[in-house]
């Protein structure tokens, strides 16, 4: 069972770091990523279904699973005609951290990495990967003194929101359906508050059939959380020798980016949840699993199998 979440206004998905002028000086900037963290999606869906019913400390994962079931995603689904290449069909846009979307085609034989010919993209290679930089909307604000409920002098901030509607319109035509797709056990239709400032999105039930693709490659849709007990990292080899479940990273990584991810905010305890080292979305692995890593029952480490004419070696340099 899946849900299609269609933002009705620009969205702000902050992934890491504080950008409040209270922390970082007189002028600072917050930039949204193209897709939300799984903790953002899970929290929004839980609130929509259960209201203000707080999670019980120490039992958050079990309560999330009871209400939401198994989570998987997210990705952007588009049914329409790609302007670059001019092909009608179904497309899956995957978060390529930081700040980009990677385009894949959904075909009867499975999911295929979309590539653009040189004359269509203007690049140096014959077949360059198809990427999208989302359209953004800027917003300027002033710092606030929460205790005095007043503005703070000389403290400004700017935020860059993702404009999904403008992005889809600029990259596709004859669009029949689009939205952020997430698989979940919850059956919900209506309005959802999602991301920074509680921006609104329309939610509908949508069952997306994704055939199993040929080959061994998978792409991460959401961060794959590594064990917080990982050893001290000094060299790149230290990271590659780490294990994720039954796999050693050096044996399965084609192309990967590392980061540190927070797993949300505990509203019951009023504290942030733990930080994890993580493989970031857009990383390509030689493994065919549904999900991988810590907290995968909540959708972290979701993987999408796909095929590509250049294989693993052709994706190492991206």
């Amino acid at each position: 069972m899946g849900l299609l979440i269609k933002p009705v206004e620009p969205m702000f998905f902050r992934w890491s770091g504080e950008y409040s002028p209270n922390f970082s000086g007189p002028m600072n900037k917050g930039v949204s990523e193209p897709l939300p963290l799984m903790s953002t999606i899970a929290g929004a869906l839980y609130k929509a279904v259960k209201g203000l019913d707080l999670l019980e400390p120490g039992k958050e994962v079990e309560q999330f699973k009871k209400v939401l079931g198994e989570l998987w995603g997210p990705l952007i689904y588009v049914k329409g005609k790609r302007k670059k290449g001019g092909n009608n069909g179904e497309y899956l846009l995957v978060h390529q951290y930081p700040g980009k979307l990677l385009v894949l085609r959904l075909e009867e034989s499975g999911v295929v990495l979309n590539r653009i010919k040189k004359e269509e993209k203007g690049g140096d290679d014959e077949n360059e990967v198809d990427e999208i930089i989302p359209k953004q909307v800027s917003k300027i604000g002033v710092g606030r003194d929460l205790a005095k409920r007043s503005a703070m002098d000389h403290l400004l901030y700017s935020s860059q929101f993702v404009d999904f509607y403008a992005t889809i319109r600029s990259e596709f035509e004859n669009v029949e359906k689009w939205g952020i797709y997430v698989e979940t056990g919850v059956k919900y239709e209506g309005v959802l508050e999602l991301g920074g400032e509680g921006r609104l999105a329309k939610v509908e039930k949508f069952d997306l059939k994704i055939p199993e693709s040929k080959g061994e490659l998978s792409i991460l849709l959401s961060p794959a959380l590594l064990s917080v007990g990982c050893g001290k990292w000094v060299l790149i080899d230290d990271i590659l020798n780490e294990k994720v479940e039954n796999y050693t990273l050096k044996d399965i990584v084609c192309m990967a980016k590392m980061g540190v991810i927070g797993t949300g905010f505990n509203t019951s305890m009023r504290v942030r949840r733990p930080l994890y080292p993580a493989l970031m979305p857009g990383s390509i692995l030689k493994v065919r699993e549904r999900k991988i890593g810590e907290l995968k029952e909540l959708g972290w480490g979701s993987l999408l199998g796909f095929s590509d004419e250049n294989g693993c070696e052709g994706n190492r340099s991206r």
Side-chain angles (χ1 to χ4, degrees), residues 192-237:
L192 194 70
E193 292 183 354
L194 186 66
E197 300 188 4
R199 294 293 178 114
L200 298 180
K202 180 182 177 182
V203 183
E204 62 178 277
K205 290 182 285 187
F206 185 68
D207 195 11
L208 179 62
K209 302 294 185 182
I210 302 178
E212 184 174 352
S213 303
K214 298 178 181 179
E216 61 180 359
L217 301 181
S218 294
I219 187 167
L220 272 171
L221 305 182
S222 55
L225 307 180
L226 307 181
S227 172
V228 292
C230 289
K232 185 177 180 180
W233 294 344
V234 178
L235 304 174
I236 188 66
D237 288 344

Side-chain angles (χ1 to χ4, degrees), residues 36-159:
L37 289 166
M38 287 308 301
S39 54
T40 302
I41 295 172
L45 287 173
Y46 186 90
K47 181 180 178 182
V49 174
K50 300 292 287 185
L52 298 178
D53 186 11
L54 296 179
L55 295 166
E56 186 177 345
K59 297 183 179 180
E60 293 95 338
V61 173
E62 291 78 7
Q63 288 181 273
F64 269 127
K65 286 177 62 178
K66 183 177 180 181
V67 175
L68 304 178
E70 289 281 336
L71 290 166
W72 179 89
L75 55 80
I76 298 175
Y77 169 82
V78 182
K79 185 175 183 181
K81 183 179 181 181
R82 183 78 173 103
K83 288 186 177 181
K84 291 180 180 178
N87 294 318
N88 275 303
E90 294 177 287
Y91 293 87
L92 306 178
L93 312 185
V94 174
H95 189 181
Q96 183 163 310
Y97 184 88
K100 294 181 181 180
L101 294 166
L102 188 65
V103 182
L104 298 97
R105 302 191 312 274
L106 181 58
E107 300 182 347
E108 291 184 0
S109 58
V111 178
V112 180
L113 181 64
N114 203 44
R115 289 184 174 269
I116 300 296
K117 293 183 179 179
K118 178 180 177 181
E119 61 269 19
E120 293 172 350
K121 192 173 180 181
D124 298 326
D125 300 328
E126 289 296 325
N127 300 310
E128 293 187 339
V129 294
D130 189 4
E131 297 175 334
I132 293 173
I133 298 178
K135 301 293 183 183
Q136 294 185 325
V137 176
S138 295
K139 174 183 175 181
I140 303 295
V142 297
R144 292 187 302 161
D145 187 323
L146 299 181
K148 297 180 179 179
R149 297 175 179 257
S150 62
M152 301 175 70
D153 293 337
H154 311 299
L155 291 179
L156 301 176
Y157 70 89
S158 67
S159 303

Side-chain angles (χ1 to χ4, degrees), residues 234-277:
V234 178
L235 304 174
I236 188 66
D237 288 344
D238 297 331
I239 300 175
L240 293 176
N241 286 324
E242 291 289 348
K243 281 189 171 291
V244 182
E245 297 185 10
N246 296 322
Y247 302 99
T248 303
L249 287 181
K250 66 181 179 182
D251 295 331
I252 64 172
V253 167
C254 291
M255 185 279 291
K257 293 182 180 180
M258 294 291 300
V260 177
I261 289 294
T263 51
F265 187 82
N266 188 324
T267 55
S268 301
M269 302 292 290
R270 305 299 299 172
V271 295
R272 295 190 182 277
R273 293 195 173 96
L275 298 172
Y276 286 82

Side-chain angles (χ1 to χ4, degrees), residues 2-11 13 34-36 41 45 74-79 162-166 168-169 174-182 188-194 198-206:
L3 298 177
L4 200 62
I5 304 170
K6 186 174 181 178
V8 297
E9 54 186 335
M11 292 277 166
F13 303 128
L35 284 168
I41 295 172
L45 287 173
L75 55 80
I76 298 175
Y77 169 82
V78 182
K79 185 175 183 181
V162 173
D163 191 332
F164 286 92
Y165 183 76
I168 300 300
R169 286 289 300 270
N174 303 328
V175 176
E176 297 180 31
K177 186 178 283 291
W178 70 273
I180 300 171
Y181 178 76
V182 179
Y188 176 77
E189 289 187 303
V191 176
L192 194 70
E193 292 183 354
L194 186 66
R199 294 293 178 114
L200 298 180
K202 180 182 177 182
V203 183
E204 62 178 277
K205 290 182 285 187
F206 185 68

